Amino acid sequence: MTPEEVLPDALLERIRGRAAGYDRENAFFHEDLAELVGAGYLKMFVPTDDGGLGFGLEAAAQCQRRLATAAPATALAVNMHLVWTGVAHVLQARGDSSLGFVLKEAAEGEIFAFGNSEAGNDAVLFDSRTTATPLPGGGYSFTGTKIFTSLSPAWTRLGIFGKDPGGRDGEGELVHGFITRETPGYRIVDDWDTLGMRASQSNTTILDGATVPPERIFRRIPVGPGRDPLIFAVFACFETLLAAVYTGLGERALAVGVASVKRRTSFKNNGRSYAQDPDIRWKVAEAAMAMDTLYPQLASVAADVDALVDHGPQWFPKLVGLKVNATETARRVVDLAIRVSGGSSYFRGSELERLYRDVLAGMFHPSDDESAHNTVANAWLGPLEG
């Protein structure tokens, strides 16, 4: 299936038509989610033999790019489910079936969310401020605070991780597992009232002794950077799908800007269209050229993940570079679209006004600008001498 078949124009227009209302009311996208579930969208990484679409990362990224042209916040939240199912797919393609149950449960209709982000944890996946306490029998109890937990009103499975300080003979160990909606010992704080991406409802989640049984613990790895395939799979899916959302957002901003320029007329130039103004044309061209750099980069990185290409130590620079390029390019394109559209885009309710707020979220997702540049510099120049 193509992205157009997975997300037909009629469905896309219904989703686009609801986006402004969700944003205005700071409401979760329940109707969008119900339609996407009905279309099998959340099963795109599930094998066809199990009732899914059997997609790889490249096809999934194109679908997310298309969805984001209609509703960036819906696409961003759905990303979190697709990250986990994508990670399971990427691992399985490399001979690691440790998350096979994720694909099985996604096929059965479970919705996965990503509960890893923590305030002040700039180590991201390489350390955790959440404590994972071992329990008799092999389970763990998790205590800590997770932020930006998208899909908070709807998830049925939440992936979390924390640190067992006594693990690995006292050197510390990072423990990954899943809780369910019925797991005791967690609560969701209704605190998502943000500048943009409001429909994602990425609330804070408090873990207060949330217990994960041994069969739901799927990884125990050393603290710090390592070569565990899980780390690559998470970065590959998270950064690529995130880039897809912001690419779609920029794509939509350019289209809205072009339509606005064609509608606007200049009083001083005897009612001529602004499409005939050389300065406006230059800005539109700049935005279009910026977007043209993103499409092949997104497709190439995703295709290389699917093809099991071995980029060695250059893999992480490629992934974080894609994310930063997508989020920063989308910001620049939205800004240019607003400049050529005139003062009407400054009013509440304008689509560009909403896209302007939504696109700002890109700077907060890992890897941030500073971390990404450090990753790329280390790959090319080696680490700083200490």
Side-chain angles (χ1 to χ4, degrees):
M1 297 180 71
T2 66
E4 291 75 19
E5 291 171 322
V6 176
L7 282 174
D9 289 343
L11 173 56
L12 208 64
E13 286 306 314
R14 290 195 299 274
I15 290 173
R16 179 175 288 117
R18 291 188 285 255
Y22 292 142
D23 176 76
R24 182 176 59 253
E25 298 165 15
N26 193 28
F28 185 66
F29 58 98
H30 286 290
E31 295 89 347
D32 289 359
L33 183 61
E35 289 211 66
L36 291 169
V37 168
Y41 193 84
L42 273 64
K43 299 180 183 180
M44 65 174 65
F45 284 113
V46 174
T48 54
D49 289 348
D50 296 326
L53 300 181
F55 281 3
L57 188 57
E58 183 179 11
Q62 295 308 318
C63 287
Q64 281 294 85
R65 170 186 153 192
R66 181 168 167 81
L67 178 58
T69 65
T74 292
L76 184 67
V78 169
N79 248 13
M80 300 305 109
H81 171 86
L82 295 178
V83 166
W84 276 126
T85 55
V87 166
H89 165 79
V90 167
L91 288 175
Q92 199 152 280
R94 288 157 176 78
D96 182 338
S97 60
S98 59
L99 284 179
F101 68 90
V102 169
L103 295 174
K104 177 179 179 295
E105 293 180 9
E108 295 167 351
E110 303 296 348
I111 297 176
F112 289 80
F114 206 74
N116 284 2
S117 296
E118 300 167 336
N121 180 10
D122 55 359
V124 194
L125 288 178
F126 300 140
D127 205 345
S128 177
R129 305 182 72 172
T130 296
T131 300
T133 303
L135 301 172
Y140 282 84
S141 171
F142 291 80
T143 300
T145 300
K146 304 295 185 177
I147 61 172
F148 296 120
T149 314
S150 300
L151 291 172
S152 284
W155 61 259
T156 63
R157 304 286 188 267
L158 181 66
I160 59 175
F161 87 127
K163 181 164 67 176
D164 173 8
R168 302 206 175 236
D169 298 323
E171 295 183 4
E173 184 173 54
L174 299 176
V175 183
H176 294 258
F178 285 94
I179 63 173
T180 71
R181 203 77 185 184
E182 293 74 33
T183 298
Y186 80 90
R187 60 187 174 90
I188 296 171
V189 182
D190 186 15
D191 59 354
W192 191 251
D193 189 6
T194 50
L195 182 66
M197 293 293 186
R198 288 159 62 81
S200 70
Q201 290 301 295
S202 307
N203 292 304
T204 297
T205 303
I206 307 295
L207 304 174
D208 188 12
T211 300
V212 179
E215 65 272 16
R216 307 296 290 191
I217 298 293
F218 64 90
R219 239 5 169 252
R220 294 195 301 271
I221 59 180
V223 175
R227 294 181 176 273
D228 192 286
L230 174 69
I231 303 300
F232 169 77
V234 170
F235 268 90
C237 294
F238 191 94
E239 303 289 65
T240 304
L241 292 172
L242 194 69
V245 169
Y246 285 90
T247 300
L249 194 159
E251 182 178 352
R252 178 61 180 174
L254 175 59
V256 173
V258 166
S260 178
V261 166
K262 290 180 176 179
R263 286 194 307 269
R264 294 181 67 203
T265 57
S266 171
F267 178 72
K268 71 178 182 180
N269 286 324
N270 301 315
R272 294 185 72 193
S273 167
Y274 269 96
Q276 302 303 310
D277 183 301
D279 293 330
I280 296 294
R281 294 171 68 87
W282 187 90
K283 288 183 173 63
V284 170
E286 183 180 3
M289 288 188 291
M291 288 304 304
D292 280 344
T293 70
L294 273 184
Y295 303 131
Q297 184 184 14
L298 174 63
S300 174
V301 169
D304 281 0
V305 175
D306 288 340
L308 279 64
V309 174
D310 183 7
H311 287 297
Q314 289 294 330
W315 250 127
F316 287 98
K318 285 181 178 293
L319 293 167
V320 300
L322 170 62
K323 180 269 175 180
V324 169
N325 192 28
T327 54
E328 293 300 314
T329 297
R331 282 184 63 198
R332 187 162 74 253
V333 169
V334 171
D335 182 75
L336 286 166
I338 285 176
R339 289 175 185 272
V340 302
S341 297
S344 63
S345 62
Y346 191 62
F347 281 80
R348 286 282 285 163
S350 155
E351 185 173 1
L352 280 176
E353 177 266 342
R354 175 165 48 82
L355 294 179
Y356 185 80
R357 290 183 289 104
D358 281 352
V359 80
L360 295 178
M363 70 179 73
F364 300 112
H365 305 300
S367 294
D368 62 26
D369 197 27
E370 296 81 8
S371 174
H373 279 78
N374 183 58
T375 296
V376 175
N378 284 344
W380 285 96
L381 301 172
L384 285 168
E385 297 176 359

